[in-house]
Amino acid sequence: MGDKTKTLTFKELKKQANDIRVSIIKMVEAAGSGHPGGSLGLADIFTALYFDVMNCDPKNPDWGERDILLLSNGHCVPVQYATMAHAGFFDTKELITLRKHKSRLQGHPERHALPGLENTSGPLGCGLSQACGMALAMRMNKQTNRYIYVVMGDGELDEGNVWEAAMLAPKYNLNNIIGIVDRNNIQIDGPTENIMPLGDLKQKWEAFGWNAVDIDGNNIEAVISAIDMAKAVKEKPTVLIARTTPGKGVSFMENDYHWHGVAPNADQAKVALDDLHELGAKIESEHE
Amino acid sequence: MSDLHLVDMGNELAKEPTRKGFGRGLLKAGQIDENVVAACADLTGSTCMDSFAKEFPERFVQVGVAEQNLVTVGSGLAAQGKTPFVSSYAAFSPGRNWEQIRTTICLNNQPVNVVGSHAGISVGPDGATHQMLEDIALMRVLPNMVVVVPCDGPEAERATLALAKDDRPSYLRLAREASPIITTDKTPFEIGKAYVFSEGTDLTIISTGTMTAQAMIASEQLYKQGVEVEVVHVPTIKPLDKETILKSVRKTKKVITIEEGQVAGGLAGAVAELLAENYPAPMKRLGVHDRFGESGTPAELLEDFGLTAHHIKLAVHEFISQK
Ligand SMILES: [Mg+2]
């Protein structure tokens, strides 16, 4: 059955997100390649989704009433693997196989490789369209209580396919779709506003017919309450423009676009893990 | 062959575009199975989805002129248990959205049926931009993909019903222009099977799509001239029915392929690959040779590109006179 592990306090969720960041550094270092920047920035959102928001059962990933998470910017999959493992979909020991030959943890997510993945992604711009198809199918199937979360990168919004889907979802009022744009202001070649200015994303999405909400994507409490409010909006789909810090938690990676797609070496990983252990201790010492 | 229940080639042949047969098949498939759904990119009438859309409005999705969205929405529909048929002109889908088909349908292995209408030069006056010639090659190279090119309206209907029951991704190639009807409702159709529509020993014609009718007309006329060609109709280009093709070529030892599209990577490519590895035989490829289409009437263009029964006859005579 759907098991909502919603017993964690915000402090425990923060601790969980930090543990997930530790796993991300370890797995990307072991892989020798991968995308740490966006993955670290998304750890709070993924913690909120898997440990609080989503109706899903790690022991029964194909459960027919589950909520769906589509990672559209598939290169950030280390955060998804790490969160899924910590949530109990599979053993955290497997995380170290990321990107290795015959591993279930393919470099970009592959639905068939790992139970619990809902799509195959990497080439950008497709997640929201797939969410539209799923939401339409759910409506035809008379399933009214399932939500579909779509995580997209901000650089990903350069893709025209996203905006094709952005027009379709309001047309059919697919209000069980909750889009989450990882607004970290970087993409591979540099700052998003230099590469291809996105401008006022809230206005853009609103003009397309969405309920658009700016939030702090590194504040778990803010993410959870924004999603609660999104569920109350029935006349249009919601997109959260989630401001995040790329490389969050690792001093030398934060806000540096060079860490979009480069793995830390052993020395860098050690510094990164020291940073995260320090943060973990700080969270531990906080009052509830 | 009597068990194939083909139309008597001696009579005047009725004509119908293959897309019409698809439209009938889709409606029937929808009546049989409530999970059959459809989506279209602003070409509902042209791709003959209108009767389905009218009967099942709640199972029809209009995505507008957005072919990338069309197939990825299809992927999402399939992920939640639906059997989607998603249609546009072949020039746009799979012409424009190949990567989305590759990643979200084939690699993701979702049973989406991509329907490309108005394929081939017989589109006519619209010209080269709208005459899709590369689609067979584009779809044939994708793992998991099934590629079906029916020869006439009735076969398009049967193919659609078969694809609705099949759980693999597929591409269904259709034509705009009316073409001769050579099969009946009793003619068998199975995905992955080729059919010997006419038996002979002098040469094998391997054909797909509406070119099979031209091959059958040619075969009838050649027979009267004392030449017995075998016509192997290949409605499924992938997976290819290797056995039926090899059996025929082992008998006749000469092959002509014909298709309304680029021979490079098309049916000709598939047959050449098969024969090169298993039974190398002299081969001639009729089809489009590394050029684009242009405006004209369908008849003018088929004549210009050498894709008529008359051209097949000439090619056969030339081929069998070579020793
Ligand atoms: Mg970004």
Side-chain angles (χ1 to χ4, degrees):
Chain A
M1 285 313 297
D3 153 53
K4 302 226 253 178
T5 332
K6 304 216 160 155
T7 48
L8 297 189
T9 63
F10 288 123
K11 178 174 164 177
E12 286 167 331
L13 288 168
K14 275 170 80 173
K15 183 78 180 50
Q16 189 57 251
N18 200 66
D19 291 347
I20 287 164
R21 288 189 167 96
V22 168
S23 289
I24 290 168
I25 292 296
K26 287 180 177 170
M27 62 202 286
V28 174
E29 189 224 338
S33 68
H35 298 77
S39 297
L40 291 167
L42 281 168
D44 301 301
I45 287 168
F46 271 73
T47 301
L49 289 170
Y50 276 103
F51 285 88
D52 188 274
V53 169
M54 284 208 299
N55 196 16
C56 63
D57 182 355
K59 298 299 167 216
N60 186 12
D62 294 331
W63 177 49
E65 295 297 320
R66 71 191 182 282
D67 290 340
I68 301 253
L69 170 61
L70 297 173
L71 178 66
S72 189
N73 52 337
H75 60 269
C76 288
V77 74
V79 70
Q80 185 168 14
Y81 291 149
T83 313
M84 285 172 70
H86 283 270
F89 281 83
F90 58 93
D91 198 307
T92 50
K93 287 197 195 90
E94 195 175 340
L95 290 174
I96 216 77
T97 69
L98 172 72
R99 288 177 165 248
K100 300 266 162 61
H101 189 47
K102 300 294 178 194
S103 169
R104 299 197 296 172
L105 313 187
Q106 292 288 296
H108 290 81
E110 271 197 44
R111 184 172 71 90
H112 285 280
L114 185 69
L117 291 183
E118 303 281 0
N119 68 332
T120 295
S121 68
L124 297 169
C126 298
L128 196 60
S129 291
Q130 286 169 288
C132 288
M134 290 178 176
L136 287 160
M138 286 174 189
R139 179 173 294 171
M140 295 171 197
N141 292 340
K142 313 256 184 291
Q143 293 181 309
T144 50
N145 287 313
R146 298 179 66 190
Y147 287 88
I148 305 167
Y149 301 91
V150 190
V151 176
M152 294 164 272
D154 51 1
E156 178 176 12
L157 302 187
D158 296 354
E159 292 277 8
N161 198 159
V162 175
W163 301 100
E164 294 182 1
M167 282 192 279
L168 189 73
K171 175 192 170 185
Y172 286 103
N173 188 21
L174 303 175
N175 55 16
N176 58 334
I177 293 177
I178 298 177
I180 302 173
V181 173
D182 180 22
R183 186 64 169 125
N184 64 10
N185 293 291
I186 65 162
Q187 56 194 107
I188 296 182
D189 274 356
T192 56
E193 302 314 289
N194 293 352
I195 304 303
M196 180 52 66
L198 293 167
D200 188 333
L201 276 183
K202 186 172 186 301
Q203 267 186 19
K204 274 201 169 82
W205 284 92
E206 281 171 351
F208 274 73
W210 289 67
N211 171 44
V213 186
D214 274 314
I215 63 163
D216 177 355
N218 289 127
N219 180 332
I220 294 175
E221 201 169 350
V223 173
I224 291 171
S225 81
I227 290 172
D228 277 343
M229 284 195 282
K231 287 179 176 176
V233 177
K234 298 293 180 199
E235 68 276 12
K236 48 177 88 165
T238 292
V239 61
L240 308 177
I241 317 292
R243 281 174 280 106
T244 68
T245 302
K248 177 78 178 175
V250 175
S251 53
F252 63 93
M253 288 188 184
E254 286 194 359
N255 291 311
D256 183 351
Y257 73 83
H258 295 100
W259 288 101
H260 167 90
V262 183
N265 62 29
D267 292 340
Q268 291 164 329
K270 194 180 171 305
V271 177
L273 291 174
D274 285 346
D275 283 354
L276 291 170
H277 289 142
E278 206 173 299
L279 275 173
K282 214 175 118 190
I283 296 166
E284 220 45 276
S285 68
E286 279 173 11
H287 292 293
E288 285 288 348
Chain B
M1 287 172 79
S2 58
D3 57 337
L4 290 177
H5 301 282
L6 298 175
V7 169
D8 183 353
M9 296 300 291
N11 298 338
E12 177 83 15
L13 297 172
K15 287 185 172 187
E16 180 190 47
T18 54
R19 61 192 167 117
K20 294 269 187 212
F22 160 70
R24 283 195 304 275
L26 181 65
L27 181 62
K28 280 189 189 170
Q31 288 160 345
I32 293 166
D33 180 358
E34 64 171 14
N35 279 321
V36 170
V37 301
C40 191
D42 197 28
L43 290 166
T44 311
S46 301
T47 64
C48 297
M49 276 193 164
D50 37 4
S51 48
F52 180 96
K54 202 174 159 205
E55 181 148 338
F56 304 110
E58 74 292 348
R59 283 153 58 187
F60 174 74
V61 184
Q62 172 60 267
V63 304
V65 196
E67 296 80 14
Q68 301 178 80
N69 202 27
L70 176 73
V71 293
T72 36
V73 165
S75 168
L77 285 163
Q80 290 301 311
K82 298 299 175 190
T83 301
F85 284 81
V86 301
S87 75
S88 180
Y89 287 174
F92 318 141
S93 177
R96 176 165 289 192
N97 50 18
W98 185 83
E99 186 280 317
Q100 280 87 349
I101 293 172
R102 176 182 187 267
T103 304
T104 74
I105 295 175
C106 291
L107 179 57
N108 199 16
N109 205 8
Q110 296 290 6
V112 179
N113 302 291
V114 177
V115 181
S117 184
H118 293 51
I121 50 169
S122 59
V123 169
D126 277 345
T129 55
H130 286 51
Q131 294 164 354
M132 186 46 154
L133 305 175
E134 298 80 24
D135 50 335
I136 294 173
L138 286 174
M139 293 295 98
R140 191 169 80 76
V141 292
L142 290 170
N144 294 337
M145 196 61 147
V146 169
V147 178
V148 175
V149 189
C151 67
D152 63 9
E155 189 176 68
E157 180 180 338
R158 290 192 298 281
T160 304
L161 287 162
L163 289 170
K165 286 190 199 148
D166 194 275
D167 60 0
R168 289 170 289 184
S170 80
Y171 174 56
L172 177 64
R173 182 187 214 237
L174 301 172
R176 170 185 184 273
E177 182 67 4
S179 60
I181 295 173
I182 56 170
T183 71
T184 65
D185 290 341
K186 287 184 185 152
T187 306
F189 176 86
E190 210 177 299
I191 296 168
K193 275 229 154 78
Y195 298 93
V196 178
F197 271 12
S198 171
E199 287 186 35
T201 51
D202 292 333
L203 181 150
T204 298
I205 299 175
I206 301 174
S207 60
T208 194
T210 57
M211 288 299 110
T212 295
Q214 298 307 310
M216 290 297 284
I217 294 166
S219 142
E220 188 80 1
Q221 294 170 357
L222 284 162
Y223 184 77
K224 288 173 189 155
Q225 298 168 349
V227 180
E228 295 184 24
V229 297
E230 183 146 297
V231 177
V232 179
H233 170 48
V234 181
T236 308
I237 292 176
K238 190 185 172 219
L240 194 64
D241 184 347
K242 298 173 182 172
E243 242 170 75
T244 301
I245 292 171
L246 286 171
K247 192 177 163 201
S248 177
V249 178
R250 283 197 177 104
K251 181 170 68 174
T252 66
K253 303 192 168 33
K254 283 192 179 70
V255 184
I256 290 178
T257 59
I258 180 158
E259 63 203 294
E260 201 190 326
Q262 303 288 357
V263 293
L267 171 71
V271 171
E273 289 161 16
L274 174 70
L275 296 180
E277 266 189 351
N278 295 280
Y279 193 81
M283 182 173 166
K284 197 169 177 59
R285 301 166 303 156
L286 301 184
V288 181
H289 291 261
D290 200 22
R291 64 181 275 203
F292 288 112
E294 59 187 281
S295 288
T297 66
E300 284 169 335
L301 292 165
L302 291 168
E303 180 67 29
D304 186 4
F305 280 78
L307 298 175
T308 67
H310 177 66
H311 290 91
I312 295 171
K313 274 193 298 178
L314 293 179
V316 169
H317 280 305
E318 194 194 332
F319 205 171
I320 58 175
S321 67
Q322 293 169 356
K323 280 293 165 194

